[in-house]
Amino acid sequence: MLSINPSNLPAKENYKFLIGSIIPRPIAFVTSLSEEGVLNGAPFSYFNIVSANPPLLSISIQRNGGKRKDTARNILHHREFVVHITDEKNVEKINITSATPPANESEVELAELSPTSSEKISVPGIKEAQIRFECILEHSLELGGNNSEPSCDFIIGRIVQYHIEPELYEKGRINQEKLGAVSRLAGNDYAKIGEVFTIKRPR
């Protein structure tokens, strides 16, 4: 087995090992509002659950050359955002939003996604997602980097409203087959859920 010290590797090599090993990763499509009111949208695969009581989720937003991305800057300013689950039906359009247009242009418009009003926050979501979570900022941390310059913004959001397509909702549970969530692998690769197997947990 290879034994490699990550401190001896450049960031790019660590990145390759991580995204090739920690798979599959769920994809959060996040909408946020700029100070000028532009609806920003971007996908993030450094995304997961933090807590169910209260319902919290996390997104790690990597910086470019030490500079915050629009999504992190918008969330820290407005303290509100919407997280959508990426699925087989919307992944093509959501992939378009990973482009980097000027800050005054909306990726949501670029991908021809359809904004829809939220109930408890000012940030719109998109109609193309079967599940979306209205979130408020719970905590934010600056992490990573060298020479005291952070390399990412770690965002923890509290879910204040769920939106779920009725056909997915069955007796308090989500039908994962109907959802058809997709995940990120390495490079340009994505994955569907694939074969599902069950193992009972010990008591």
Side-chain angles (χ1 to χ4, degrees):
M1 178 173 283
L2 292 173
S3 184
I4 301 170
N5 185 340
S7 64
N8 294 333
L9 298 176
K12 187 173 183 180
E13 292 302 310
N14 280 315
Y15 171 78
K16 288 180 180 178
F17 283 151
L18 289 168
I19 65 167
S21 303
I22 302 174
I23 55 174
R25 300 186 307 280
I27 307 165
F29 177 67
V30 181
T31 53
S32 61
L33 284 174
S34 72
E35 291 186 48
E36 296 75 27
V38 176
L39 182 59
N40 174 267
F44 299 95
S45 67
Y46 294 10
F47 157 59
N48 222 312
I49 301 164
V50 173
S51 166
N53 182 25
L56 303 175
L57 51 76
S58 67
I59 307 161
S60 181
I61 303 175
Q62 306 304 294
R63 296 187 180 185
N64 286 328
K67 184 180 178 182
R68 279 194 176 110
K69 289 186 178 178
D70 293 342
T71 299
R73 189 167 56 251
N74 295 344
I75 290 172
L76 293 172
H77 178 76
H78 285 290
R79 305 184 68 83
E80 297 179 340
F81 57 104
V82 183
V83 171
H84 310 74
I85 301 301
T86 304
D87 61 44
E88 294 176 35
K89 297 176 183 177
N90 62 31
V91 65
E92 293 282 352
K93 286 191 172 185
I94 285 176
N95 181 59
I96 293 171
T97 68
S98 61
T100 311
N104 62 349
E105 293 182 14
S106 170
E107 296 89 347
V108 172
E109 290 184 10
L110 178 68
E112 297 182 345
L113 293 163
S114 311
T116 185
S117 297
S118 292
E119 291 185 15
K120 293 186 177 177
I121 63 174
S122 61
V123 180
I126 60 161
K127 293 179 181 178
E128 287 79 4
Q130 299 181 89
I131 296 178
R132 68 181 189 274
F133 309 130
E134 296 181 23
C135 300
I136 58 174
L137 180 63
E138 182 85 358
H139 293 293
S140 66
L141 295 169
E142 295 181 327
L143 299 173
N146 297 309
N147 302 320
S148 71
E149 184 175 277
S151 63
C152 76
D153 293 284
F154 187 69
I155 303 293
I156 298 176
R158 180 190 289 250
I159 301 170
V160 295
Q161 192 74 19
Y162 296 108
H163 298 276
I164 303 166
E165 285 294 332
E167 57 266 29
L168 302 182
Y169 187 78
E170 298 177 357
K171 298 180 181 179
R173 288 176 165 79
I174 302 297
N175 184 313
Q176 61 92 7
E177 290 185 6
K178 292 180 180 178
L179 174 59
V182 298
S183 59
R184 282 289 278 127
L185 303 176
N188 293 320
D189 293 339
Y190 292 77
K192 299 179 182 181
I193 295 292
E195 182 182 353
V196 175
F197 60 93
T198 301
I199 301 177
K200 289 186 178 181
R201 296 175 65 176
R203 294 185 177 182

